[in-house]
Amino acid sequence: RGGAPALQDLVGGQVDFMCDLAANSLPHVRAGRLRAYAMMSKSRWQAAPEIPTGDEVGLPGLHISNWTGIWAPAGTPKPIIDKINGAIVAALADPHVRQRYIELGQEMPPASQLTPEALRAFHKAEVERWGPIIKAANIQPN
């Protein structure tokens, strides 16, 4: 049914466990309605440094990132891609945007990763990492 109804079911006691975006669950953790076991990242989250990583609780390598990419139609001219990318890089350099990004549980990528080429390589690596798992589990898109 989706993340929000699943979180409601977790808070309401209908389910016992959920993997969720940290920013969605943290208010419930802070209010004592949920218990956080671990962050599925390589390092602790700045917004909740008291929550250990999967590595720290005995789940080594349990690293799942939540990332966002900006896509354009195939054949979009390079000058347009460069202009869009420049605007994104400028926005991500703004201190207020950076702070909000952190509050939402996002890791700010280093400047070297803020290029179309870096996104292409990252996306390829993610497909190679998760594709076999998705196929083995017979997961189908809706």
Side-chain angles (χ1 to χ4, degrees), residues 87-132:
I88 292 166
V89 169
L92 291 176
D94 179 273
H96 294 98
V97 171
R98 294 180 74 81
Q99 181 58 40
R100 185 66 178 133
Y101 215 68
I102 291 167
E103 289 167 1
L104 291 172
Q106 299 287 324
E107 293 181 18
M108 183 62 66
S112 64
Q113 295 298 307
L114 298 177
T115 67
E117 297 76 22
L119 176 58
R120 188 176 302 110
F122 178 77
H123 182 251
K124 182 176 186 269
E126 287 286 274
V127 169
E128 289 171 357
R129 177 180 181 196
W130 295 107

Side-chain angles (χ1 to χ4, degrees), residues 45-112:
W45 182 27
Q46 292 176 351
E50 72 279 8
I51 300 173
T53 66
D55 292 332
E56 293 171 317
V57 299
L59 300 167
L62 183 62
H63 306 143
I64 300 173
S65 63
N66 177 33
W67 58 274
T68 303
I70 304 292
W71 308 94
T76 301
K78 186 169 177 4
I80 292 174
I81 297 293
D82 292 343
K83 185 173 183 173
I84 293 169
N85 188 68
I88 292 166
V89 169
L92 291 176
D94 179 273
H96 294 98
V97 171
R98 294 180 74 81
Q99 181 58 40
R100 185 66 178 133
Y101 215 68
I102 291 167
E103 289 167 1
L104 291 172
Q106 299 287 324
E107 293 181 18
M108 183 62 66
S112 64

Side-chain angles (χ1 to χ4, degrees), residues 13-25:
Q14 285 80 34
V15 296
D16 297 322
F17 178 84
M18 178 180 177
C19 295
D20 192 22
L21 296 173
N24 292 346
S25 298

